[in-house]
């Protein structure tokens, strides 16, 4: 299937094989529907944690699309974690702006408060503005019965991040080969206008360490997907 999706305000052409849709994505969505059906009176919160370069934002947008097409599936809504970056002024004061995206650059306490609101009922969610490079508060109204919170650090094995587990009904993780992620992330920076040297330097400083930290320091998930070098997904 070839489909045009709007991901974080940008148009993306996504491709998914029919057998992958039938054997990976639809069964996963049916599993989420089953979990929600156990407590339909409250919102179900799913954590999707994955290293940079695994296509998680596009994937969850595709899941939103599938949830609207398949009878019997509850509506899904993606809530990206990027809106919980500390503001640039805070990052500058703590000499962390060059490392934006690392776990230290997120406001975990603010994320916990937002997750509590999502669990309890009506809620709004911040969104990262890629032109301002800062969060915009209350940019997303949370309406769906099942939400997928996606980010790099949701299953991070340290005290601050582990405290978020009380809000998680089901967890997903995507793993992928280091080399494939490096190739994808460098290509992403080249497409954004960086030179080869600058793209390689960014990977060495930011993306590369983040990939290693996610793959090596994340707690086990309820379900793990593997992204192949081709970009296809399979259940582990």
């Amino acid at each position: 299937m070839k489909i045009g999706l709007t991901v974080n305000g940008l148009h993306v052409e996504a491709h998914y094989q029919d057998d992958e849709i039938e054997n990976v994505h639809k069964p996963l969505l049916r599993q989420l529907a089953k979990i929600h059906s156990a407590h339909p009176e409250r919102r179900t919160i799913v954590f999707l944690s994955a290293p940079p370069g695994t296509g998680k934002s596009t994937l969850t947008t595709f899941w939103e699309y599938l949830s609207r097409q398949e009878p019997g599936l509850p509506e899904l809504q993606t809530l990206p974690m990027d809106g919980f970056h500390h503001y640039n002024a805070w990052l500058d004061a703590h000499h962390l702006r060059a490392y934006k995206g690392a776990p230290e650059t997120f406001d975990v306490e603010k994320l916990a408060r937002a997750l509590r609101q999502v669990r309890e009922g009506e809620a709004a969610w911040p969104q990262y503005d890629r032109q301002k490079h800062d969060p915009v508060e209350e940019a997303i109204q949370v309406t769906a019965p099942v939400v997928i919170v996606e980010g790099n650090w949701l299953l991070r094995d340290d005290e601050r991040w582990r405290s978020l587990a009380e809000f998680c009904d089901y967890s997903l993780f995507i793993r992928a080969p280091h080399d494939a992620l490096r190739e994808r992330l460098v290509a992403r920076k080249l497409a954004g206008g960086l030179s080869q040297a600058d793209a390689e330097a960014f990977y060495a400083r930011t993306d590369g360490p983040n990939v290693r930290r996610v793959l090596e320091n994340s707690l086990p998930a309820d379900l793990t997907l593997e992204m192949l070098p081709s970009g296809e997904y399979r259940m582990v």
Side-chain angles (χ1 to χ4, degrees):
M1 176 189 292
K2 179 179 179 180
I3 183 172
L5 301 170
T6 301
V7 182
N8 297 324
L10 300 175
H11 181 77
V12 174
E13 289 289 337
H15 303 263
Y16 297 96
Q17 298 295 328
D18 290 344
D19 61 341
E20 178 188 342
I21 293 171
E22 294 299 327
N23 296 319
V24 177
H25 303 301
K26 287 184 179 180
L28 187 153
L29 296 183
R30 293 185 192 113
Q31 173 66 12
L32 300 186
K34 180 179 178 181
I35 292 166
H36 179 66
S37 68
H39 298 282
E41 74 283 356
R42 65 171 174 83
R43 184 170 283 125
T44 297
I45 299 176
V46 179
F47 282 5
L48 171 61
S49 183
T54 48
K56 57 189 175 298
S57 297
T58 301
L59 180 60
T60 55
T61 304
F62 179 62
W63 288 347
E64 288 181 354
Y65 166 81
L66 282 183
S67 76
R68 296 191 295 268
Q69 306 303 312
E70 282 291 299
L73 292 180
E75 182 185 356
L76 301 183
Q77 185 174 11
T78 299
L79 301 178
M81 204 185 75
D82 285 354
F84 294 91
H85 275 104
H86 281 290
Y87 280 82
N88 285 331
W90 187 97
L91 295 174
D92 289 338
H94 291 79
H95 309 290
L96 286 171
R97 197 198 282 215
Y99 302 96
K100 184 182 282 191
E104 298 80 13
T105 67
F106 286 90
D107 189 337
V108 183
E109 291 74 22
K110 177 181 172 184
L111 175 56
R113 292 193 298 272
L115 286 167
R116 188 178 302 280
Q117 289 182 331
V118 169
R119 168 58 51 77
E120 292 175 352
E122 292 188 12
W125 194 263
Q127 187 167 37
Y128 189 74
D129 188 316
R130 297 186 183 278
Q131 294 182 323
K132 293 170 52 179
H133 301 288
D134 256 335
V136 176
E137 301 299 335
E138 300 186 348
I140 301 171
Q141 294 300 310
V142 183
T143 59
V146 178
V147 297
I148 301 179
V149 184
E150 59 95 350
N152 301 140
W153 310 110
L154 292 162
L155 296 178
R156 180 165 173 76
D157 189 11
D158 76 20
E159 184 176 0
R160 292 172 68 233
W161 292 90
R162 284 197 303 268
S163 68
L164 301 177
E166 67 174 290
F167 306 109
C168 179
D169 296 300
Y170 194 72
S171 60
L172 305 169
F173 188 78
I174 302 174
R175 72 184 190 196
H178 282 84
D179 290 347
L181 294 177
R182 183 182 184 281
E183 182 177 337
R184 288 165 68 97
L185 290 163
V186 169
R188 181 186 295 177
K189 291 301 178 185
L190 293 173
L194 290 188
S195 67
Q196 185 73 37
D198 286 344
E200 298 276 0
F202 186 90
Y203 183 86
R205 182 182 70 243
T206 302
D207 278 341
N210 286 344
V211 165
R212 288 191 295 274
R213 292 173 83 177
V214 175
L215 290 176
E216 296 170 7
N217 300 115
S218 293
L219 295 166
D222 293 311
L223 177 66
T224 297
L225 301 178
E226 182 174 14
M227 190 197 77
L228 305 178
S230 63
E232 295 178 56
Y233 300 91
R234 69 181 182 188
M235 290 188 182
V236 176

